[in-house]
Amino acid sequence: MQIIHTEQALRDALKAHNQIAFVPTMGNLHAGHLHLVKIAQTHAACVVVSIFVNPLQFGANEDLANYPRTLEADCDKLAQLGVDIVFVPTVHVIYPDFDGVDLHQSITVQPPPIANILCGASRPGHFAGVATVVLKLFNMVQPTVAVFGQKDFQQLFIIQSMVRQFNLPITIIAGETMREPNGLAMSSRNGYLNFAEKAQAVQLVRSLKALVASVQLGHHEYEKLALHATQQLMEQGWQVDYVTVRSAFTLLPPTSSETELVVLAAAKLGKTRLIDNIQFCAKPLK
Ligand code: PAF
């Protein structure tokens, strides 16, 4: 496995390959990421994983400085899986005009309006930062396939829109969310939870499952169901950002004929903001 830090070395290493599967990450790899890598390995002989904690997608009061950086352990895990290349660029490589303080990334990808709702409402600029770095990484790696986790459903949706609207010759594959035995979605941010919080965190997916069960029993008052889930989580001590049922195709509130749905939630337990979602099929309205 090659660990590469510069754009030129990456281009040189990739010259010999015309089918490349790519998994972009911010490191601190867990079984969820490794699942994405395994999917990538089924799509191309050469797999590239990037590890880059992207400053452009963090807000001023977010956890950029404290974001867990575990490069050595990450590389061990990737080597064990037989990954070909790990790309670990510096901030200067990704943001060539970076002066040590300011990124000076004056041109950014303007994501679709959907980037301003749900997580985008409380994280202004987040998805522009994600789309910009992903486009840069795509330009450097030039993959044929890229794999993203479904846990970040809104991110996946925005990347798919970017690839379509910018005519990028890349197939985006969605990797299923990996969960702890109790159902908690795997996330690097779970590492911030203390022992008691980690046990409690499963309440988030449980409330989503209960909501899905109600819809599948024939209840279609999505806002009422979401409000109920929100209230329950708040009673259990969560600070809820949103719980909402959306069309899985548009991320907008579902029309009465739509049955491919997704329930999404973001909520804070103590200081840790967690997200989760479940995609499901509702019975058609009679
Ligand atoms: O999902 C992530 O880890 C990041 O948002 C990504 C896609 C690697 C871009 O920095």
Side-chain angles (χ1 to χ4, degrees), residues 24-26 52 54 57 130 133-134 148 152 155:
T25 80
M26 299 207 298
F52 179 66
N54 172 34
Q57 70 188 71
V130 170
V133 80
V134 169
F148 290 81
D152 297 296
Q155 165 172 289

Side-chain angles (χ1 to χ4, degrees), residues 174-251:
E176 188 195 329
T177 303
M178 290 289 107
R179 297 184 179 278
E180 302 287 352
N182 69 2
L184 172 65
M186 289 188 184
S187 163
S188 298
R189 292 199 164 94
N190 293 352
Y192 297 148
L193 300 169
N194 64 31
F195 189 74
E197 286 170 341
K198 195 149 187 197
Q200 200 194 333
V202 68
Q203 289 166 345
L204 189 62
V205 67
R206 286 208 183 124
S207 71
L208 298 187
K209 279 188 183 162
L211 188 154
V212 170
S214 299
V215 175
Q216 288 178 331
L217 280 173
H219 298 282
H220 288 94
E221 314 87 351
Y222 301 135
E223 280 182 26
K224 210 165 128 191
L225 295 172
L227 188 64
H228 178 69
T230 302
Q231 277 164 350
Q232 265 193 337
L233 285 165
M234 284 168 62
E235 278 161 22
Q236 290 165 329
W238 293 73
Q239 285 166 262
V240 181
D241 188 352
Y242 60 82
V243 177
T244 185
V245 177
R246 297 288 164 129
S247 153
F249 296 127
T250 63
L251 268 186

Side-chain angles (χ1 to χ4, degrees), residues 82-102:
V83 163
D84 303 273
I85 292 174
V86 187
F87 181 43
V88 191
T90 60
V91 177
H92 272 286
V93 169
I94 299 290
Y95 297 102
D97 294 336
F98 177 53
D99 61 8
V101 180
D102 197 313

Side-chain angles (χ1 to χ4, degrees), residues 22-27 33 36 50-55 57-58 67 95 123 126-127 129-134 137 147-149 152 155 159 188:
F22 177 43
V23 184
T25 80
M26 299 207 298
H33 296 107
L36 304 182
S50 65
I51 297 180
F52 179 66
V53 182
N54 172 34
Q57 70 188 71
F58 284 80
Y67 197 86
Y95 297 102
R123 304 188 70 188
H126 170 68
F127 289 114
V130 170
T132 301
V133 80
V134 169
L137 291 165
V147 190
F148 290 81
D152 297 296
Q155 165 172 289
I159 299 299
S188 298

Side-chain angles (χ1 to χ4, degrees), residues 2 12-20 45-47 84-85 141-142:
Q2 279 178 275
D12 291 344
L14 291 174
K15 243 180 219 147
H17 301 276
N18 49 17
Q19 297 284 320
I20 297 163
C46 175
V47 169
D84 303 273
I85 292 174
V141 177
Q142 304 208 356

